[in-house]
Amino acid sequence: MTADGKPVPGTRVEFEVIEEDGPRFPGDARTVTATTGKDGYATAPKLTAGEETGKFTVRATIEDRGRTAVDFTATVKAPPVQHADALVRVGNSTLKAAPGASFGAPVLAKATVKGKALAGVEVTATVLTEDGGAAKAGPYFKGEDGKKLRTLVLPKTGKDGTVTLPELFADDRQGTFTLHLTTEEGVELSLKLTVAGKPDKPEKPTESGKPNKPGKPGDKGTDGKKDKPAGTTPSAKASRTAR
């Protein structure tokens, strides 16, 4: 504007974000130029907030007149913290294992809020007995030192809202258990675990290193001879000679 308050159209104005970690204009630019209109106003493009929160300075300067500047304050606030309102399992395969075996593919859980994936959610996994008590035996996770763990804090969910549990194993205790997943805010997911069946036991090797196999009638024995068929023991028969 002129000294008497009249608008000056066609004047180029430079807008600059002073802080390097502050908001950005389109194209990730810290500086843009706009031209005043008939009303004497120059409008800068929209700013996009960065990852840093706080107050930042946007300086407007008339080109060729570095001393003529006006500062504006841009404030970036942290987004409201969202909490998961649901915890679901991805997949529906039966979680069953024989004693001493693995439950197979690891469990995948997903945290959501209003149906949308939510990242950064911390989930705790706990193995419970069928009646809901803490299990002292039964399914377990393996710790770094091989120790059996039945309570485990999982890594936070990723951008897709999911977290993959470590492989789950069964010990020799058979029965029904519960894999209980819960968030810090108390959102829960309970999954049934079943340990049943006979444990896999390898056949005992013979002296030759090969497992024993049941024999059949007529098979050769260990000495290479055929087994003799069962029968009566031969006996001598006496007779009288007629005179």
Side-chain angles (χ1 to χ4, degrees), residues 184-197:
E184 292 180 298
E185 293 74 35
V187 179
E188 301 176 332
L189 171 63
S190 294
L191 303 174
K192 181 180 178 181
L193 302 175
T194 303
V195 180

Side-chain angles (χ1 to χ4, degrees), residues 1-21:
M1 300 181 72
T2 63
D4 56 1
K6 293 183 179 180
V8 181
T11 301
R12 292 172 61 84
V13 180
E14 181 183 85
F15 294 90
E16 178 186 9
V17 178
I18 303 302
E19 294 81 8
E20 293 185 0
D21 58 353

Side-chain angles (χ1 to χ4, degrees), residues 88 90 108-111 117-119 121 155-164:
V88 297
V90 179
L108 182 66
K110 183 176 184 179
L118 184 61
V121 178
K156 292 184 178 181
T157 56
K159 291 182 179 180
D160 61 355
T162 65
V163 60
T164 301

